[in-house]
Amino acid sequence: MNAEIKCSCEHCGEHIAFPSEAIGQTIECPHCKLETLLFIPSSDLSPKKNTSTALFVFISLVLIAVIVMVGVAAFIGKTSYQSIQKPDDSLHEVKGAMDWNLGDILPNDIEVKTNDDAFGITASSFRRPAALENSDLITCDLILTEERRIAAILVNGSEDKQFNRDTLRKVLKEKYGLRESRNVPAPGDNSFVIYYFGKTNRQAILTVHSQSSFDLEYRDERLCELAQQQQEIRKTAINKQMQNDLRNSF
């Protein structure tokens, strides 16, 4: 009686029992139905297979660990950002400042200037609030749409006992809520901090410089976008007119 030999299928790895006289023949594997060679297993083949399997398992575990760590890092980063930037529903809409309200139409008796190389249509020759009448530290400008609606209120100056970063930050936080703050490093002594107050559609932005000066901007984002679009249209029209004048000169 011929001895029975067992080898593994070359494709699925399942054991196949066959008589010794069938060594070297190619048959259909009874398990996976693919053609495989019948052979006498070598004594050192099994350890190689075990080593290969162990290596595959190790690499799989490493990949799973990397994916998990990346996911955890992304979750932590997202949570950290959300903890710094408050959602709009916990904040208040910025109304205005310096006796002016965002969205109001500027009275016709106040003169405006158009400088499209800078802020566009602006107004600054108006009576300042009583608290600032005797102060030379504060300047105030209004950015307007062509319909004379107040899109932004710009305030800047140097810090003093009345107007300083701590006082301004405290007042704005109480009125509108602090949404976000950013430290902006810069070479030398030019670093500054930006604070964002109120809702994103109408917000106050306080920029505090290291040289004890500050810039404070109240913005209606929709009107600011409109004012910028109108500014670009005016600049395009002016450039086109200049080109036409130059062409007609020759």
Side-chain angles (χ1 to χ4, degrees):
M1 182 175 179
N2 295 329
E4 187 180 75
I5 302 173
K6 289 184 180 181
C7 71
S8 298
C9 173
E10 296 174 304
H11 303 286
C12 65
E14 293 292 338
H15 290 156
I16 303 173
F18 62 94
S20 59
E21 64 266 20
I23 295 174
Q25 294 181 14
T26 299
I27 67 167
E28 181 183 277
C29 174
H31 306 286
C32 67
K33 308 303 181 183
L34 297 176
E35 291 188 350
T36 183
L37 180 68
L38 299 177
F39 60 94
I40 299 176
S42 174
S43 59
D44 61 349
L45 183 61
S46 179
K48 290 183 179 178
K49 181 180 178 181
N50 292 339
T51 303
S52 177
T53 302
L55 180 60
F56 175 79
V57 172
F58 175 76
I59 293 175
S60 299
L61 291 174
V62 171
L63 289 175
I64 292 173
V66 170
I67 292 172
V68 170
M69 287 189 292
V70 170
V72 171
F75 176 80
I76 292 174
K78 183 178 180 181
T79 303
S80 175
Y81 178 77
Q82 289 178 339
S83 67
I84 295 173
Q85 186 172 18
K86 291 185 178 180
D88 268 15
D89 56 8
S90 66
L91 305 168
H92 302 289
E93 188 177 82
V94 172
K95 300 299 183 181
M98 304 294 170
D99 291 342
W100 300 106
N101 291 319
L102 294 171
D104 284 358
I105 297 178
L106 191 72
N108 290 327
D109 59 345
I110 296 180
E111 182 182 356
V112 300
K113 297 180 180 180
T114 301
N115 182 0
D116 287 324
D117 291 330
F119 295 113
I121 302 176
T122 60
S124 57
S125 57
F126 48 79
R127 185 181 181 87
R128 294 194 295 176
L132 302 178
E133 283 188 4
N134 298 321
S135 174
D136 295 327
L137 302 176
I138 306 297
T139 61
C140 180
D141 296 278
L142 307 178
I143 296 180
L144 310 169
T145 67
E146 290 184 349
E147 298 77 22
R148 295 176 69 94
R149 289 196 177 275
I150 301 175
I153 305 167
L154 307 182
V155 182
N156 61 77
S158 300
E159 292 186 281
D160 61 11
K161 292 181 179 179
Q162 184 178 4
F163 298 98
N164 57 73
R165 68 189 70 190
D166 294 331
T167 301
L168 289 172
R169 187 169 60 239
K170 181 179 179 180
V171 170
L172 292 169
K173 183 177 180 180
E174 290 177 350
K175 291 183 67 175
Y176 307 117
L178 176 62
R179 189 175 78 251
E180 186 182 1
S181 63
R182 298 179 186 175
N183 291 300
V184 183
D189 195 26
N190 298 316
S191 300
F192 55 94
V193 184
I194 306 177
Y195 301 92
Y196 299 86
F197 302 90
K199 294 180 178 290
T200 52
N201 62 326
R202 276 193 176 181
Q203 60 180 330
I205 305 173
L206 173 64
T207 303
V208 180
H209 302 275
S210 57
Q211 299 90 348
S212 298
S213 62
F214 69 89
D215 299 304
L216 178 56
E217 181 177 2
Y218 300 82
R219 292 174 57 90
D220 182 308
E221 295 301 331
R222 183 182 63 84
L223 291 177
C224 282
E225 183 178 356
L226 175 61
Q228 186 175 7
Q229 291 173 351
Q230 293 173 340
Q231 180 182 7
E232 292 299 324
I233 293 173
R234 290 193 301 271
K235 290 175 68 174
T236 301
I238 292 173
N239 290 335
K240 185 176 181 180
Q241 184 62 47
M242 291 176 61
Q243 292 176 2
N244 289 336
D245 293 343
L246 182 62
R247 188 181 299 111
N248 294 332
S249 299
F250 292 92

